[in-house]
Amino acid sequence: MPLNLNAKWLVITALLLASLGLTGCSELLFRQTCVGLTKDMRYCLAPLPHDFAPATDKPLTHPRIQPATESTTKPAIMASQQTDSNTGVSSPQSFSQKVSIKVGKESHELLTQLELEGERMTLVGLAPLGQALFTLVYDGNTLSSEQSVLLGDNFKAEYLMAMMQLIYWPEQSIRAHLEGGHLVTGLCDAAGDSLVNTSSCRQIYSQDTLISKSALQTHVVQIRYQQNVGDALWQAHISLTMPQAKFELEIEPI
């Protein structure tokens, strides 16, 4: 059920306060900027793209595997929105989200605030009851985090930041920072899609898919976007799955 306006501002205020510093016991950690998706595939955090415009970066056709010899160059109108630059985003942007994570049989919910400004990407996490969990800051080179000790050493917040980039970053940027994998975009293969409620997908396959003769390759990562026609990408309901890892991520904008 959507939050009313007052509730939304309470959530945003709490997230912004958490970004100023975690309450209670916390520790400062320096994280790896590359995360493993499989044994032979990893994604390395990308700098903030120049003139960041994810709202117009939408898949246009059904997914297909491109031959290794086929050019992946985008039309000029798309390329201008997908060029990495050390100058970062042209103006500050902020997005609040409700995030649900399921790993195997375990489920977790949290609230997040994603801040994009200049060369800096900041991700703040809160528990549903408002306890500060973590603050991640990536400046395009290094990634640091302040994290509640209650999360333990096994919680790797950098994976959540990497997933945010796989979801929202321009395709050209993702391809440039994805090692051992191949990104495919297009409309989801699902019945019931219409002009009222479109469903587009990003899928990441291993490089072996490019040389395999089988057309029934299993994706490593699938990201499904459910949004009304005309909505910005940030307004979409996001579903990310990694079947091999039994990992599911749901994002609902606030």
Side-chain angles (χ1 to χ4, degrees):
M1 178 180 298
L3 297 176
N4 60 38
L5 185 59
N6 289 335
K8 177 179 178 180
W9 282 111
L10 287 175
V11 170
I12 293 175
T13 301
L15 287 165
L16 289 176
L17 289 175
S19 68
L20 298 177
L22 296 175
T23 58
C25 297
S26 63
E27 54 184 342
L28 181 63
L29 303 170
F30 289 92
R31 302 289 195 177
Q32 298 294 320
T33 58
C34 294
V35 300
L37 301 179
T38 67
K39 181 180 66 174
D40 302 316
M41 184 194 307
R42 69 174 187 168
Y43 175 76
C44 297
L45 293 178
L48 271 64
H50 180 60
D51 293 333
F52 193 46
T56 57
D57 184 22
K58 300 178 181 178
L60 300 177
T61 59
H62 286 281
R64 64 190 183 95
I65 303 296
Q66 295 177 336
T69 58
E70 182 176 343
S71 173
T72 57
T73 303
K74 301 294 180 180
I77 189 172
M78 295 295 292
S80 65
Q81 299 165 356
Q82 299 179 345
T83 303
D84 283 347
S85 171
N86 291 331
T87 58
V89 296
S90 56
S91 60
Q93 300 182 58
S94 177
F95 308 94
S96 301
Q97 302 157 314
K98 177 182 176 181
V99 176
S100 300
I101 300 174
K102 184 177 180 181
V103 183
K105 296 182 179 180
E106 296 185 4
S107 299
H108 307 277
E109 289 189 352
L110 64 151
L111 303 173
T112 62
Q113 179 83 5
L114 183 61
E115 303 277 349
L116 307 176
E117 183 175 7
E119 300 176 23
R120 178 171 296 186
M121 177 183 183
T122 302
L123 182 63
V124 179
L126 284 181
L129 295 180
Q131 302 96 324
L133 297 177
F134 61 84
T135 298
L136 276 172
V137 179
Y138 178 60
D139 63 6
N141 294 297
T142 60
L143 175 64
S144 61
S145 71
E146 192 175 358
Q147 178 172 305
S148 170
V149 296
L150 298 177
L151 291 175
D153 296 333
N154 291 329
F155 182 81
K156 306 296 183 182
E158 63 266 34
Y159 273 86
L160 184 55
M161 179 171 277
M163 296 301 146
M164 291 289 187
Q165 288 201 0
L166 290 177
I167 290 169
Y168 296 116
W169 255 227
E171 299 168 23
Q172 190 82 354
S173 177
I174 294 173
R175 290 190 173 99
H177 294 84
L178 179 64
E179 301 176 5
H182 184 71
L183 174 66
V184 179
T185 63
L187 298 178
C188 298
D189 293 330
D193 289 347
S194 66
L195 294 178
V196 177
N197 187 13
T198 62
S199 184
S200 54
C201 284
R202 287 182 177 179
Q203 295 172 322
I204 297 176
Y205 295 84
S206 68
Q207 290 287 13
D208 293 340
T209 300
L210 297 178
I211 58 177
S212 173
K213 296 181 180 180
S214 173
L216 300 176
Q217 293 293 327
T218 302
H219 55 263
V220 175
V221 179
Q222 176 174 274
I223 305 168
R224 181 184 296 267
Y225 305 83
Q226 297 179 5
Q227 61 195 118
N228 294 324
V229 172
D231 283 353
L233 191 60
W234 298 100
Q235 296 172 296
H237 181 98
I238 308 295
S239 175
L240 181 150
T241 58
M242 298 178 64
Q244 297 177 26
K246 297 182 180 180
F247 176 87
E248 299 178 14
L249 175 69
E250 299 279 344
I251 297 180
E252 181 180 346
I254 297 176

